[in-house]
Amino acid sequence: MGLDRGQRLLTALEGGYGDAADALRINGYAMSRERLLGAATALAERVAGAPALAVLARPTAETVVAVVGGLLAGVPVVPLPPDSGPKERGHILGDSGASLLAVGGGDAPVEGVETFRVELDAHSGGSFAEPAPERTAFVLYTSGTTGAPKGALIQRGAVAADLDALAAAWQWTAEDTLVHGLPLFHVHGLVLGVLGALRTGSRLVHTGRPTPEAYAGARGSLYFGVPTVWSRVAADHESAQALASARLLVSGSAPLPVPVFERLAALTGRAPVERYGMTESLITVSTRADGERRPGSVGLPLDGVRTRLVGEDSTAVPHDGETVGELQVAGPTLFAGYLNRPDANAESWTADGWFRTGDVAVIGPDGFHRIVGRASVDLIKSGGYRIGAGEVESALRDHPAVADAAVVGAPDPDLGQAVVAYVVADGAVTGDQLTAFVAERLSVHKRPRRVVLVAELPRNAMGKVLKKQLLDLA
């Protein structure tokens, strides 16, 4: 049978956690863990030995069965975004070497790969030996600023280590009911939001779409969301107040604006937990269930994770809460490298084995981390100063008329880069007024040189602002 239950990745499928008929409810479809295991084992028997299994990752029970089936069989799972275009889809399928694609009942076959439909009513009582921890669990594709998406190789041991560290940090147990409505082709929605429940034994409610009404109606104890979700919840007072019975509200995938943090805390009585991670590292830093939750901060490294800040000259940056540096991480949650990309691997690791996140951050004397943003777009070098875009964005959001803001460094012949702010604002506030507002709160050199008022900011499915689009505009 292989490894014992304590060494298995999906511990809760082994029994001993209770198994209600609706232990998992995915977009309205209820399943027990036993039924999930039977259907997933039947699928595992079909895909065993394949080089990789692609899964058209819609928020459905079919997706969960296919992912679990691939993991049971020890076949690397390649989540395919359902909105990916033909070029991106072809690249992911070809680069990953996926020979099979699992789809739901209403999905059409995809050219270039053997497509099959997931059967929710299938059942097998067979079993598979647990694959070794160093085996690849997922090939997760992540886009950079240039080139085709890269496939990050996520090992089974990294997933287990990360989920166990998060369970400790968030006091996540089988007594919880986890609620979220996040996409199932990212770390947040799939690894944390599905496998987390199947490892801790908590119930899972995936709402399909992450609407305030759906979150309020789910009556969970643990909620996951991205800033866009929490912003909408905070704007719906009735739905927000319905979350007062929840134990933990977790925000990630992008910085949570301080005004949203404060509104959520006021309406629910629960200050949100913020955490930081990447596809390549999984989640590495978080505030704690039993610790301080500081607006704008993602807290402390998880158990087993080490972090450091370095400057452009590769020397250590002081942990003074002010000095910006590139965040580097080490520990058991890191990926095993990019598939077929030795060039990217060489660029991503330091000589002494630390992963270069490409994010810039500050760390306080107490160890609390604050993420400034991506080095490529959020570290602005203007007139000899190094300016974190996140700090300027936070200052702008403090203005009562500002609903949202994004700051970029636009090329400037005099300054090198000029601070340009794109702002979603209510009322009759002007760009000059916002510039003055920032200059009163931050160093004068950090003020926006130009403010562009817009109706909305471009964002991806996880709520992250697409700053490259803003740079193109700037």
Side-chain angles (χ1 to χ4, degrees):
M1 183 60 189
L3 305 179
D4 65 34
R5 190 178 75 192
Q7 296 171 296
R8 288 187 170 274
L9 176 57
L10 305 180
T11 315
L13 292 182
E14 298 298 308
Y17 289 83
D19 192 18
D22 62 347
L24 301 97
R25 185 175 292 276
I26 313 296
N27 200 8
Y29 189 94
M31 297 184 79
S32 67
R33 295 190 194 95
E34 181 181 11
R35 187 175 171 209
L36 168 62
L37 179 59
T41 302
L43 186 141
E45 291 171 348
R46 177 169 187 171
V47 305
L53 169 66
V55 178
L56 191 60
R58 300 191 189 280
T60 62
E62 286 91 344
T63 293
V64 174
V65 167
V67 169
V68 172
L71 294 174
L72 291 176
V75 173
V77 175
V78 185
L80 192 64
D83 61 349
S84 58
K87 183 176 181 180
E88 180 184 1
R89 187 184 306 127
H91 168 72
I92 292 174
L93 292 173
D95 186 66
S96 67
S99 60
L100 298 170
L101 171 63
V103 301
D107 295 313
V110 174
E111 291 185 10
V113 63
E114 182 182 342
T115 305
F116 70 96
R117 303 192 188 286
V118 178
E119 300 294 338
L120 295 177
D121 293 326
H123 178 82
S124 172
S127 63
F128 286 81
E130 179 75 3
E134 62 270 18
R135 289 280 294 275
T136 299
F138 295 101
V139 185
L140 297 177
Y141 278 80
T142 178
S143 296
T145 55
T146 60
K150 302 187 293 289
L153 300 169
I154 312 296
Q155 295 177 320
R156 301 172 71 93
V159 173
D162 201 54
L163 293 177
D164 290 347
L166 289 173
W170 298 342
Q171 300 176 356
W172 184 2
T173 73
E175 301 301 314
D176 280 307
T177 294
L178 168 62
V179 177
H180 73 93
L182 301 173
L184 297 187
F185 50 90
H186 285 292
V187 166
H188 197 169
L190 180 59
V191 178
L192 275 62
V194 174
L195 301 195
L198 296 178
R199 186 164 177 84
T200 63
S202 66
R203 293 183 66 244
L204 169 63
V205 178
H206 190 290
T207 60
R209 296 180 62 246
T211 65
E213 298 81 7
Y215 272 38
R219 301 295 176 182
S221 62
L222 175 61
Y223 284 80
F224 291 168
V226 297
T228 301
V229 171
W230 292 126
S231 178
R232 292 170 181 171
V233 169
D236 185 331
H237 287 199
E238 184 176 350
S239 294
Q241 289 168 346
L243 302 187
S245 60
R247 186 178 63 80
L248 220 59
L249 310 178
V250 179
S251 182
S253 297
L256 184 67
V258 172
V260 177
F261 181 106
E262 293 173 341
R263 285 199 300 271
L264 274 178
L267 290 168
T268 67
R270 300 283 184 269
V273 162
E274 294 188 68
R275 87 306 181 278
Y276 164 80
M278 301 177 64
T279 300
E280 294 89 342
S281 68
L282 304 182
I283 309 306
T284 52
V285 184
S286 180
T287 50
R288 303 303 202 260
D290 59 356
E292 181 184 359
R293 305 174 200 174
R294 191 179 300 168
S297 170
V298 293
L300 303 166
L302 296 179
D303 292 346
V305 173
R306 294 172 293 147
T307 64
R308 69 184 185 187
L309 291 182
V310 299
E312 290 181 312
D313 58 359
S314 298
T315 60
V317 167
H319 293 185
D320 57 10
E322 293 291 337
T323 307
V324 175
E326 183 198 24
L327 182 64
Q328 298 180 354
V329 299
T333 70
L334 291 180
F335 75 136
Y338 296 110
L339 180 65
N340 302 325
R341 291 294 303 273
D343 56 333
N345 289 330
E347 293 173 358
S348 298
W349 299 87
T350 66
D352 56 348
W354 291 70
F355 175 64
R356 297 184 172 104
T357 68
D359 285 322
V360 288
V362 297
I363 301 177
D366 57 0
F368 266 59
H369 291 50
R370 180 166 57 84
I371 306 301
V372 175
R374 296 297 292 169
S376 57
V377 293
D378 291 311
L379 182 59
I380 302 169
K381 301 172 185 176
S382 181
Y385 294 100
R386 290 159 57 89
I387 302 166
E391 186 178 19
V392 184
E393 291 163 356
S394 294
L396 285 164
R397 293 189 188 108
D398 285 341
H399 193 287
V402 172
D404 206 352
V407 169
V408 298
D412 184 271
D414 179 42
L415 298 170
Q417 288 181 306
V419 178
V420 178
Y422 290 83
V423 178
V424 180
D426 301 323
V429 68
T430 67
D432 288 344
Q433 289 171 333
L434 292 175
T435 295
F437 183 83
V438 172
E440 290 170 359
R441 284 154 179 78
L442 303 177
S443 301
V444 173
H445 67 265
K446 297 179 181 178
R447 72 191 187 282
R449 300 290 175 150
R450 182 158 57 99
V451 175
V452 182
L453 298 175
V454 295
E456 62 180 3
L457 299 174
R459 295 182 181 273
N460 66 13
M462 297 302 291
K464 293 182 180 180
V465 175
L466 300 173
K467 288 199 171 182
K468 189 175 185 304
Q469 291 187 17
L470 297 179
L471 279 169
D472 291 341
L473 291 174

